Amino acid sequence: MTRKRGRGVAAVNYPTGMNLGGDPTQALVHSTPTGNFMVTVSSVDLGQGMKQILRQICAETLGVPSERVVVDTADSDTGPHCMGTFASRGTHRAGNAVIAAAREARGVMLEVAAEMLEVSTDDLETDGAGNIHVVGAPAKAVSVTDTALAAHFQKGRSISGRGMFLVPRSYPSPVDGAMKPATCYAHACTVAEVEVDVETGEVDVISLKNVYEIGRALNPRMVEQQLVGGAWMGISHAIYETTEPYYPQRDHRGVDFNEYLMPGPGNLPRTEVVVLERPAPDGPYGGKGPGEMCANAPIPAIANAIFDAVGVRIDTMPFTPEKILRALRGLEA
Amino acid sequence: MAKIPLHFILNGEERAEFVDSGATLLRLLRDKTGDLTAKSGCLQGTCGTCTVLVDGAPRLSCITLAEDCDGADVETVAGLAAHGQLHPLQHAVMEHFAAQCGFCTPGMLMAAKALFLTNPRPSREDVVEALSGNICRCTGYEPIIQAVLSAAQVMSASGPGAA
Ligand code: FES
Ligand code: FES
């Protein structure tokens, strides 16, 4: 059995979100009578932590503790419009929409508090702990709860806001086709080390070192969780996932995820993840999209490592034993 | 078709149900007892998300016949937290951010609990082996492995019988 080692590197420049006919997301924020806040969006949390991130963003913008915010990801039939959770767009698009909605709601909240305290809204600030007070005079304060109660029962006001974030459609230039499909880009670089068995064509990923530049990490532990899972998913895309790993006939192929091979807990390489933060000027508190792009850099890095190990270029995913053996045979011929 | 009467224990409580011959333990749990913690994934024994304990051993409930569980002691994730206290495994999953969508989590927890019953101080290799029948598409497994290892530590520090 001959196993050969190789190392490969790849870097990606990944647009946050996409741009087909414009890329919008909308959000609504409103307060309950006791001064808790509800964010309504149609963006979906599929485990990546969208609810937590939107909760933090809303709380930060309103100036209230995040425990006071509830996020309802509702239903795309009834909620504010969102293009969806894909293309690493969730945090950026929905986050910006939530900021806009929370700003408007904060404006109303401060107007009500200003009336209660008999001062101008310009003189008010929030303490982040559930109170609104006069700048420089923390004793002259009213709680967010009392403000909301007053809005509901005395002033007849709705502490609420509407938020909209749209990346408008970008048309390609008729001259050279250039366009601006995204407003910010995340970056990733991976160094992969692999072992290729030249008799069986099997590839083992030995180690994966990843550096990700994702804007500001709005929730560092959740970012790390995404990146660790995503780097692994990159390996899965690179050498496992296909509905027809070995069969030339379509009717022999797998028909669902059961036949769709993925690495298990015994197939883990040594993985390192390093996060670089360069806040995006148009991102919500500087955040870009870490979601999808973190799986991308490992794939070409593994392809390059295979080339380094055995001298064959596999240019279609996944890099199955069959493709590698055929390519090796091609080298001999 | 005649129904088969079944007596069994579910998370410490006695249960009596009638099941169809050939019905799976997963269907018994989800349809008859209302315990939805065992997930319905591949339904052919390949993903592990339906894992429950039957008499202390991990079983894929989607390919276990309900009628074979007469008199058995069945445990699901619903029985993990005792007296309102999360099980150390559940704590560890939180601490280590070891769940994203959470669909694999019940099966992972039960596979880990089964491991602890036979091997309270597992090595990393033991944990990997115990979880090798459980698929996760989100986490990349490492956080789950770390969570199980740390729960094992917490539990062996708090003495035998903690499982
Ligand atoms: S549902 Fe039982 S193993 Fe997948
Ligand atoms: S957390 Fe989603 S499958 Fe494991």
Side-chain angles (χ1 to χ4, degrees):
Chain A
M1 193 167 84
T2 323
R3 299 173 71 83
K4 298 206 167 164
R5 276 211 181 203
R7 207 187 309 165
V9 61
V12 301
N13 181 41
Y14 192 83
T16 296
M18 47 103 237
N19 196 319
L20 301 170
D23 189 10
T25 289
Q26 305 194 355
L28 295 172
V29 169
H30 77 271
S31 94
T32 65
T34 53
N36 288 328
F37 288 84
M38 181 80 170
V39 179
T40 314
V41 285
S42 299
S43 319
V44 173
D45 192 332
L46 28 79
Q48 82 281 37
M50 165 85 82
K51 282 186 170 177
Q52 172 62 19
I53 290 298
L54 296 184
R55 186 186 202 200
Q56 287 175 223
I57 288 174
C58 180
E60 182 73 22
T61 310
L62 285 166
V64 304
S66 63
E67 301 78 63
R68 305 277 296 249
V69 177
V70 176
V71 177
D72 182 4
T73 49
D75 176 330
S76 55
D77 276 346
T78 56
H81 175 223
C82 176
M83 288 292 281
T85 301
F86 57 88
S88 306
R89 67 186 291 288
T91 295
H92 190 268
R93 304 297 197 262
N96 275 322
V98 167
I99 287 179
R103 264 197 202 127
E104 189 174 307
R106 178 184 164 93
V108 181
M109 178 174 81
L110 293 186
E111 277 169 28
V112 174
E115 276 183 44
M116 295 169 78
L117 293 169
E118 298 180 18
V119 295
S120 150
T121 49
D122 296 340
D123 293 333
L124 290 178
E125 66 183 5
T126 41
D127 68 355
N131 300 294
I132 302 161
H133 63 82
V134 174
V135 178
K140 196 161 169 53
V142 61
S143 70
V144 169
T145 302
D146 286 343
T147 306
L149 283 168
H152 281 258
F153 293 100
Q154 292 155 25
K155 316 274 182 200
R157 307 257 337 239
S158 165
I159 300 183
S160 57
R162 300 150 298 172
M164 170 77 191
F165 187 72
L166 170 67
V167 177
R169 178 165 183 178
S170 160
Y171 289 89
S173 144
V175 181
D176 58 4
M179 63 184 295
K180 194 171 183 293
T183 60
C184 71
Y185 291 80
H187 304 94
C189 182
T190 298
V191 177
E193 206 183 348
V194 304
E195 240 176 43
V196 182
D197 186 318
V198 294
E199 282 170 24
T200 65
E202 262 165 285
V203 177
D204 272 329
V205 181
I206 306 298
S207 75
L208 213 55
K209 296 183 168 64
N210 308 283
V211 181
Y212 293 114
E213 188 283 295
I214 48 101
R216 178 170 282 136
L218 300 182
N219 184 313
R221 290 294 303 274
M222 281 182 8
V223 163
E224 186 192 328
Q225 175 190 42
Q226 280 277 289
L227 299 179
V228 169
W232 167 85
M233 175 90 24
I235 299 171
S236 190
H237 294 331
I239 58 178
Y240 290 84
E241 294 176 26
T242 173
T243 53
E244 41 186 335
Y246 307 112
Y247 305 117
Q249 293 289 330
R250 295 270 327 152
D251 48 351
H252 293 171
R253 78 195 195 280
V255 293
D256 56 31
F257 279 135
N258 296 322
E259 283 87 25
Y260 199 63
L261 265 188
M262 308 191 67
N267 305 105
L268 303 180
R270 290 191 308 278
T271 302
E272 278 173 55
V273 167
V274 174
V275 176
L276 300 180
E277 295 181 85
R278 286 169 64 232
D282 82 330
Y285 299 102
K288 298 178 183 174
E292 186 175 338
M293 68 91 186
C294 59
N296 293 351
I299 303 166
I302 291 169
N304 287 336
I306 293 171
F307 178 72
D308 186 43
V310 293
V312 297
R313 281 265 169 233
I314 313 294
D315 56 9
T316 52
M317 290 152 56
F319 318 135
T320 56
E322 178 184 339
K323 287 182 197 163
I324 287 170
L325 287 181
R326 283 184 197 281
L328 284 172
R329 223 165 275 163
L331 275 190
E332 287 162 16
Chain B
M1 195 166 38
K3 299 269 182 187
I4 300 169
L6 218 58
H7 283 95
F8 62 104
I9 312 262
L10 177 58
N11 297 323
E13 262 180 52
E14 275 191 52
R15 294 280 186 154
E17 301 287 351
F18 287 102
V19 296
D20 290 324
S21 176
T24 63
L25 174 58
L26 180 66
R27 293 270 55 104
L28 166 66
L29 289 171
R30 294 185 64 90
D31 300 344
K32 301 272 174 134
T33 73
D35 182 341
L36 301 177
T37 56
K39 298 297 170 203
S40 172
C42 66
L43 300 180
Q44 54 174 243
T46 56
C47 76
T49 194
C50 65
T51 305
V52 300
L53 300 194
V54 177
D55 295 326
R59 289 279 175 268
L60 299 169
S61 62
C62 72
I63 50 168
T64 301
L65 289 176
E67 59 208 81
D68 285 348
C69 298
D70 193 34
D73 189 354
V74 179
E75 289 171 74
T76 69
V77 165
L80 266 190
H83 319 296
Q85 294 283 321
L86 287 185
H87 189 278
L89 269 167
Q90 292 170 306
H91 257 295
V93 164
M94 268 169 33
E95 291 299 319
H96 290 267
F97 285 67
Q100 288 187 36
C101 78
F103 198 73
C104 69
T105 313
M108 292 283 182
L109 290 175
M110 295 322 279
K113 178 164 184 189
L115 168 69
F116 293 167
L117 289 175
T118 55
N119 180 358
R121 283 162 212 253
S123 66
R124 183 190 165 89
E125 287 65 43
D126 297 336
V127 171
V128 166
E129 177 67 27
L131 301 182
S132 62
N134 295 68
I135 289 177
C136 174
R137 282 194 75 104
C138 302
T139 63
Y141 300 102
E142 191 60 39
I144 301 176
I145 296 168
Q146 293 306 325
V148 174
L149 283 170
S150 95
Q153 243 173 21
V154 168
M155 287 163 62
S156 55
S158 59

